[in-house]
Amino acid sequence: MNFPRVTPESVGVPSAAVTAMLDRLYRKGIEMHAFMLLRHGQVCAEGSWAPYAPGTPHIMFSFSKSLTSTAIGFAVQEGVVSLDDRLIDIFPEEAPQDPSENLKKCCVRHLLMMGCGHETEISWAGDSSADWITAFLHHPFVYEPGTHFLYNTAGTNMLSAVITKKTGLPLTQFLKPRLFQPLGMGDIFCQPMPDGTEMGGAGMSLAIEDMARFVQFVANKGSWEGKQLLNAAWFDQATGKQIENAGAGWGGDPDWQAGYGFQFWRCAPQGVFRGDGAYGQFGVVMPDQDAVLVIHSASQTLQAVLDAVWEELLPAMAAAPLPEDRKAWHVLDHRLKHLELNPLLGTRSPGGEASLNGAEYLPDQPLPGLRDIVGGVGCFGPQGGALQSLSFRFEEGRAQLICRQDSGEAVLDLGMEGHFATTVVDGVPYGVNSAWRERDALEVHLRNTRMAAGRRFLFRFAGSRLTVTASPTLPEPAGLGELSLPELRFTLKEGEVSTRTRMYWEVNG
């Protein structure tokens, strides 16, 4: 099924309200990557901010939890798993020999509601060990299960492990014939953990329409194209309030205090709920309005994103179609067709570029490969490889950075026309936007657009030396896989062009 595309007014949404929401997100400094708004199962507004593209899977972080919950729903429906299955019965070999009373009581349902009984969370990202299930079960179960809310990504990873233990299939392979294929979502990647268990708590990547298909399926209570794939009663449980979370931290933001279901958050507006991932990966369901909104972003002020939806969009939705507003629709349509992250206004340096054309710089120390140097929020561990040299190509209208690695050559368009250029290297799309910032300094914004953020690099030239410094595109420390990156130092490789290059930067550096 392809979603029909309609005008906002035809489904009771003022185009001006969508524009107002986008304006507010921009004023609040929210870095949007993509969104899609559906009403009555029809897409009435959508867009992606270059270099992010609608067909590129985007790291979902904890939005993955809602998919993992749905996998448990299918397993329960098929009789493979019961909500009352005890963890010590599912994982007897990993459980303590003398389990505590609280651990004995802990069941699948308690993992689903974030109420397993832990007071703190074990490590779950790239530094977790292969025996993390044992670590989880040996971690103190301080509270009686079901009585204490603790946001616990490791607990959701345990749900993924339950699926694999009970079915012999990784989480995504279990979901493929039951959810992904019937909904037309294609192949979905989920980051594996050291023992091979897929990271159901944070590791999935979805393109924006795949995300919309899943959230619309949830809004439909398990129905798709006239078929009830998963029973509606499951969604009444999963999206209803299962445990109190008021006062559980989160800075007092109202949308993190409204109750928690089975890996879905309840929202402050009556009846609204959502799937939710770090840095603003939102799948919002507004049942009374029969509306769905999905968002990819890189925000660290998450309540501001939801407030823009509640205050600019939600109250403007009408119960019936509205008269077409050609002017407002034209303004919105034009904007949606030209979305882009803030461009780096291009400045050129003909002399500097000519001197660098063909010059090759060798690293002074061993360096990781391109993907690890670019990094990005959502990169859970090193990708491997080694960088061997950097060089530049400025000729025939091309501006390129060439990274020679032990695995081959990666050529990136630098995007020096004031807009991002996109290059796909080994299946990974990179967005690059560059400009000369000083006489001897080339600024390069570089992103792996599967991640939630990238890095700003400053290439500074002096004689035969090149130093590269970097800062994350997020304004604050990112965490979640953002690898530290010290200053990188390179030396000009001797050759035919090296004398010309060195002399230019001795004068101009």
Side-chain angles (χ1 to χ4, degrees):
M1 181 189 81
N2 292 320
F3 288 132
R5 265 60 178 182
V6 298
T7 63
E9 280 75 15
S10 70
V11 289
V13 179
S15 293
V18 181
T19 300
M21 179 185 72
L22 298 178
D23 284 342
R24 180 162 169 172
L25 292 169
Y26 179 76
R27 291 195 304 271
K28 291 293 184 180
I30 307 301
E31 183 183 291
M32 292 286 288
H33 295 168
F35 85 105
M36 186 175 285
L37 175 63
L38 298 91
R39 196 155 194 218
H40 312 316
Q42 302 171 92
V43 177
C44 63
E46 61 184 315
S48 296
W49 281 254
Y52 294 88
T56 300
H58 190 283
I59 184 66
M60 300 307 300
F61 299 112
S62 287
F63 182 87
S64 310
K65 292 177 170 67
S66 297
L67 287 150
T68 303
S69 167
T70 303
I72 294 292
F74 278 110
V76 170
Q77 177 173 273
E78 295 170 19
V80 176
V81 172
S82 166
L83 295 183
D84 296 320
D85 284 346
R86 299 191 308 165
L87 297 191
I88 61 172
D89 296 329
I90 301 173
F91 303 103
E93 296 180 359
E94 293 86 353
Q97 288 186 351
D98 186 19
S100 68
E101 290 302 313
N102 285 337
L103 174 54
K104 290 178 184 178
K105 296 177 183 178
C106 187
C107 301
V108 169
R109 72 169 67 249
H110 301 127
L111 296 178
L112 285 164
M113 69 172 67
M114 297 292 186
C116 73
H118 283 175
E119 186 173 41
T120 58
E121 187 178 11
I122 69 165
S123 174
W124 56 266
D127 58 345
S128 59
S129 67
D131 60 352
W132 67 273
I133 295 175
T134 299
F136 185 93
L137 294 174
H138 282 73
H139 197 61
F141 284 70
V142 176
Y143 301 95
E144 182 176 352
T147 66
H148 176 76
F149 176 86
L150 172 71
Y151 196 72
N152 196 335
T153 296
T156 314
N157 292 338
M158 285 291 291
L159 292 171
S160 176
V162 168
I163 291 292
T164 300
K165 182 79 170 184
K166 291 286 191 175
T167 69
L169 296 171
L171 177 65
T172 52
Q173 291 304 305
F174 177 76
L175 282 173
K176 186 174 182 177
R178 295 163 174 82
L179 183 72
F180 300 154
Q181 288 179 335
L183 270 57
M185 293 173 63
D187 291 329
I188 304 299
F189 172 76
C190 187
Q191 177 71 34
M193 299 178 69
D195 68 339
T197 302
E198 291 185 337
M199 193 184 292
M204 291 200 188
S205 295
L206 298 179
I208 194 68
E209 184 160 335
D210 286 340
M211 186 184 186
R213 287 173 180 270
F214 170 65
V215 179
Q216 186 64 57
F217 171 76
V218 174
N220 295 348
K221 293 190 175 183
S223 175
W224 195 258
E225 295 187 309
K227 297 180 180 179
Q228 193 69 39
L229 303 181
L230 181 52
N231 66 84
W234 172 259
F235 293 99
D236 291 335
Q237 285 184 290
T239 66
K241 183 176 178 179
Q242 294 291 335
I243 192 169
E244 181 64 57
N245 63 352
W250 304 90
D253 290 337
D255 284 295
W256 280 262
Q257 311 285 327
Y260 196 79
F262 286 167
Q263 311 288 297
F264 287 89
W265 294 86
R266 300 294 298 176
C267 299
Q270 185 66 34
V272 179
F273 61 88
R274 71 187 188 280
D276 183 321
Y279 304 101
Q281 321 316 315
F282 289 121
V284 181
V285 177
M286 297 163 268
D288 291 347
Q289 291 76 23
D290 190 20
V292 161
L293 175 66
V294 293
I295 292 174
H296 291 167
S297 68
S299 170
Q300 296 189 81
T301 53
L302 301 183
Q303 187 64 57
V305 179
L306 295 176
D307 286 345
V309 179
W310 309 153
E311 297 174 20
E312 304 295 346
L313 182 64
L314 182 60
M317 293 185 185
L322 298 168
E324 294 295 333
D325 187 337
R326 295 183 63 186
K327 180 178 179 181
W329 165 240
H330 175 76
V331 170
L332 175 62
D333 185 52
H334 183 270
R335 181 165 181 172
L336 295 178
K337 290 176 179 176
H338 297 87
L339 295 171
E340 184 176 8
L341 298 187
N342 289 341
L344 184 65
L345 298 178
T347 53
R348 303 302 294 266
S349 174
E353 292 171 16
S355 79
L356 289 172
N357 193 34
E360 187 171 8
Y361 288 87
L362 306 179
D364 291 357
Q365 65 285 322
L367 292 178
L370 175 66
R371 286 184 67 179
D372 287 332
I373 289 176
V374 174
V377 182
C379 181
F380 290 106
Q383 303 299 303
L387 182 69
Q388 296 177 334
S389 72
L390 293 177
S391 58
F392 298 86
R393 182 181 295 138
F394 294 98
E395 59 183 18
E396 300 175 359
R398 293 183 297 181
Q400 295 175 321
L401 173 65
I402 303 165
C403 304
R404 291 188 175 88
Q405 308 179 94
D406 55 356
S407 59
E409 186 176 271
V411 181
L412 300 173
D413 290 329
L414 284 170
M416 298 196 68
E417 305 302 322
H419 302 281
F420 278 93
T422 298
T423 307
V424 179
V425 178
D426 296 330
V428 177
Y430 293 93
V432 190
N433 193 7
S434 309
W436 287 93
R437 275 290 163 249
E438 301 176 41
R439 185 171 56 185
D440 62 346
L442 177 64
E443 185 175 353
V444 178
H445 292 198
L446 181 50
R447 295 166 178 262
N448 170 351
T449 60
R450 293 176 180 268
M451 302 294 108
R455 286 194 170 113
R456 299 182 183 92
F457 293 87
L458 192 65
F459 292 71
R460 192 172 291 276
F461 304 91
S464 61
R465 308 292 298 165
L466 166 63
T467 59
V468 182
T469 55
S471 60
T473 56
L474 286 170
E476 299 175 18
L480 288 179
E482 181 71 6
L483 304 176
S484 61
L485 189 67
E487 180 179 86
L488 310 180
R489 298 182 179 89
F490 298 80
T491 301
L492 189 64
K493 180 181 179 180
E494 292 298 325
E496 294 182 7
V497 299
S498 61
T499 300
R500 179 197 70 200
T501 304
R502 181 173 60 252
M503 290 179 62
Y504 181 88
W505 293 113
E506 285 175 351
V507 174
N508 294 279

